[in-house]
Each structure stands twice: as C-alpha cells, then as structure tokens.
Amino acid sequence: MQVIEITAFGAPEVLQLCERPQPQLKSGEVLIKVHAAGVNRPDVFQRQGNYPVPPGASDLPGLEVAGEIVDGELGDSGFKKGDLVCALVQGGGYAEYCAAPLAQCLPVPQGLSPLQAAALPETFFTVWSNVFDRAHLAPGETLLVQGGSSGIGVTAIQIAAALGHRVFATAGSDDKCRACEELGAERGINYRTEDFEQVVKAATDGRGADVILDMVGGDYLPREIRALADDGRLVVIALLGGAKAQLDLGQVLRRRLTITGSTLRPRPVEFKAHVAKQLLDRVWPLLASGKVKPVIYKTFPLAQASQAHALMESSAHVGKIMLTLA
Ligand SMILES: NC(=O)c1ccc[n+]([C@@H]2O[C@H](COP(=O)([O-])OP(=O)(O)OC[C@H]3O[C@@H](n4cnc5c(N)ncnc54)[C@H](OP(=O)(O)O)[C@@H]3O)[C@@H](O)[C@H]2O)c1
C-alpha cells in the first residue's frame, strides 16, 4: 500500500510517499480502507522528532481516518464489512489501509461524507474528554477556548455553543476572531491586540470563565488563573507557549481552582472506548442535525502531505487540514 513515511526528523519535505505492506491486525482491531485522513498538530511534532510514538503504535503519522471496514472481527459491534466509519487511531492514518481498534470506530454521522467524518475523531475525542469529562463544563457555565481557530478550537466552540454554553475564544487575527464568532463564540478575542482576561471579566460582570481549554501554557498561566471564576477549572492540552509558568497558588486556594491536563494518544483503548460512547450519545446527534459541523479549511491528496504540514505550520488555517486518497 501507499503510505507517507517520516523519512527523517525535520522540515515538511521529510514526508515522502513510500510503499509498505498492509498492517497486521491485532486482537480487537479492524482494517479500514482509508478514504481520508486528518492532519493534526501532533503529527507536525512527531515529524519534527518532538513527539515519540507510543510503544506498539505505527511509526507512520496520522491519528484519525475515515473509510470502509474491509477486515477484522466485528463481534456484536453492529458494524459489518463495507460499513463507512471514522476512527481514532494511534498512528498510521497517512496510508491506504489503517488498523483501528474496533472500540474507537464510530459510524460516519448521518449526512456527512467520509472526508468530513475523517475530520472528527482527534479533536472530538480530545475536546469531549477534556472540556466535558475532565473539566466538567456544566449547564449554565462559561468556556474560554485558547486557539479558537485551531482544529481543536473550532470543535470546542461548536460543541459547547450547541449545548447552550457561553463561549469566548482567542485567536491571532481579527478575521480568525470573526470565524470563531460565526461558529458560536459570543466574542472572539484577538490575543495580539486584546487582553483575554479583561475581555472575559468584563463580559461576565467580573466573574470570569468557569472552564478554560488551554493549548498555550507558559505565561498564559497566571493570566488564566485570574480569568477563571471561583471554582473554575483550567485544562491544559498543549504547551505552544512553553512548559514553565509562575502562578499565584494563593488564588488556587482561596478561589478553589483546579488545574489539570491530559494527552489523548497514550491513553488505553478502554478509555477511548468510553469517550467514543459518550460522543455517539451526546455529540453525533448534533452532527446529524447540523448544529455542529466539521470545519475543513483545505484538502490535499496523500502525496502532498508535506504541503499540508507546511500549511499547518503557517497557521493560516481555520479548522482542519485533510488528506484524501483516491
Ligand atoms: N492533549 C491532547 O490530547 C491533544 C490532542 C490533540 C491536539 N493537542 C494539541 O492541541 C493543539 C492544537 O492542535 P490542532 O491540531 O488543533 O492544531 P492547529 O490547528 O495547528 O492549531 C494550533 C493553534 O494554536 C494557536 N496559537 C498559537 N499560539 C497561540 C497563543 N499564544 N494564543 C492563542 N492561540 C495560539 C494558533 O492560532 P493563531 O494562528 O491564531 O495564533 C493555532 O490556531 C496542538 O498544540 C496539539 O498538539 C493536544
């Protein structure tokens, strides 16, 4: 089969089209003939040599795919061979065939194409497990999303807004802020010209956000602590601004704040199966009704994966960058 290999750690050009044998299925896995695969920032970190592959996972990049089930034990899953599914995978998505744990497969939502469905798993699993599971965003509460125009951000904004939450989102340009507002954010905050702490406090009568989804870290931490409401939760999913921060623990004590975080990829299949079930129950109906939509910025053929990575690194995009297979 044709695959994209990381031939060495480095610039996007190290991604090369190569031939590999089809993956051997492990227990509990199915083989998917891939129609489309999503590009995610962690793929860029992996290509740069900054994101080691978990033991036992494919060394090929690609954390999400959609396509046709062509092999594997389907048990009482309700799926049959030939069904179109999307799946969260531990790697190997940039390929004509990809092995996926059956428990991490979800049906292509009603009304969506396989390309659109391939844009879902990585960000929907991440957002659900962090914002709703880990940080317990509860009815009536307010969410601040850092990086609102990212693949993660557009998902967080839409799901939270569709479930009735007030959402604020930061982004690096006025155009990106408007895009966040069109997706359901009450207010896009241009972090280059505005202070998110002040904007969120002013819009909430000084209360602050109940939950902040953060992919920046670094010097955002002290400002985020101040931007949280009493009993607020900060959930860190990436450290684009650095891993070290100074913060006032007095605020954490006095205002009962929670600081947490997680990474999805190394979690076991059982955890991801639990998230898949919640997505099917709570979020797939929002996709079927059109209240939440995949936001695809640009699609490249598999062979142009290096261009897809270069685009992601330019940060010109809003939403997802995708790869398609013939
Ligand atoms: N923990 C997990 O399980 C997990 C899972 C998936 C992804 N992630 C992480 O989540 C992040 C987003 O992933 P993605 O695939 O959605 O990537 P992406 O689309 O490339 O998004 C990265 C975003 O970061 C924003 N950004 C950079 N510096 C910022 C700052 N100082 N303030 C606010 N926003 C800033 C960029 O926005 P501007 O261009 O507007 O600056 C861009 O939208 C990545 O770091 C990725 O590694 C974590």
Side-chain angles (χ1 to χ4, degrees):
M1 63 172 184
Q2 291 200 312
V3 305
I4 294 292
E5 270 183 14
I6 300 172
T7 53
F9 294 138
E13 295 67 39
V14 303
L15 297 176
Q16 295 285 339
L17 194 64
C18 301
E19 291 279 335
R20 284 258 184 117
Q22 285 183 10
Q24 297 287 320
L25 295 186
K26 296 181 205 140
S27 168
E29 288 184 339
V30 293
L31 189 66
I32 296 175
K33 182 175 192 310
V34 178
H35 291 204
V39 175
N40 292 281
R41 188 67 68 151
D43 309 345
V44 172
F45 296 143
Q46 181 179 337
R47 192 206 76 222
Q48 292 169 333
N50 296 324
Y51 194 3
V53 174
S58 168
D59 64 317
L60 300 174
L63 301 173
E64 60 187 353
V65 296
E68 190 185 326
I69 298 181
V70 292
D71 199 6
E73 291 295 325
L74 295 166
D76 59 2
S77 64
F79 290 123
K80 55 187 185 326
K81 282 188 188 144
D83 279 355
L84 290 172
V85 293
C86 58
L88 181 75
V89 296
Q90 261 215 330
Y94 294 13
E96 281 185 290
Y97 292 88
C98 182
L102 180 58
Q104 293 172 204
C105 294
L106 285 156
V108 170
Q110 194 188 318
L112 264 57
S113 67
L115 170 63
Q116 290 173 308
L120 305 173
E122 176 68 10
T123 68
F124 279 63
F125 277 74
T126 301
V127 167
W128 189 267
S129 61
N130 284 288
V131 175
F132 294 94
D133 240 4
R134 182 156 285 276
H136 307 292
L137 184 67
E141 289 193 328
T142 299
L143 173 68
L144 168 62
V145 180
Q146 306 286 19
S149 62
S150 64
I152 295 278
V154 300
T155 299
I157 293 169
Q158 287 194 85
I159 298 178
L163 294 175
H165 298 277
R166 292 180 75 187
V167 183
F168 298 88
T170 59
S173 72
D174 290 344
D175 284 350
K176 286 182 172 184
C177 287
R178 297 299 82 80
C180 293
E181 289 168 0
E182 277 161 25
L183 292 167
E186 179 176 320
R187 174 80 153 76
I189 306 164
N190 184 338
Y191 67 81
R192 296 184 203 279
T193 57
E194 296 181 289
D195 179 345
F196 65 79
E197 179 191 343
Q198 281 174 9
V199 175
V200 172
K201 286 265 188 70
T204 55
D205 297 325
R207 201 174 161 273
D210 298 289
V211 172
I212 301 178
L213 178 66
D214 183 31
M215 58 181 70
V216 181
D219 64 7
Y220 268 33
L221 256 287
R223 297 164 61 196
E224 289 175 326
I225 293 296
R226 293 194 297 269
L228 278 175
D230 290 358
D231 295 297
R233 287 86 69 200
L234 169 64
V235 57
V236 181
I237 59 161
L239 305 166
L240 292 168
K244 297 269 168 38
Q246 270 212 321
L247 54 104
D248 178 359
L249 286 171
Q251 295 251 356
V252 177
L253 303 188
R254 283 192 297 278
R255 304 206 294 111
R256 301 171 303 282
L257 307 179
T258 302
I259 303 172
T260 183
S262 75
T263 54
L264 179 65
R265 195 174 184 184
R267 303 297 299 276
V269 173
E270 295 71 33
F271 171 80
K272 292 169 183 166
H274 160 77
V275 181
K277 168 118 193 30
Q278 292 182 70
L279 287 173
L280 196 58
D281 291 346
R282 302 286 309 281
V283 182
W284 255 228
L286 301 174
L287 286 158
S289 69
K291 284 192 180 139
V292 172
K293 296 185 177 118
V295 179
I296 296 178
Y297 182 78
K298 192 156 181 185
T299 301
F300 295 85
L302 181 70
Q304 291 175 18
S306 60
Q307 276 121 295
H309 274 220
L311 172 60
M312 176 160 274
E313 285 178 82
S314 79
S315 263
H317 62 291
V318 172
K320 297 284 299 188
I321 300 167
M322 305 298 299
L323 301 173
T324 48
L325 291 98

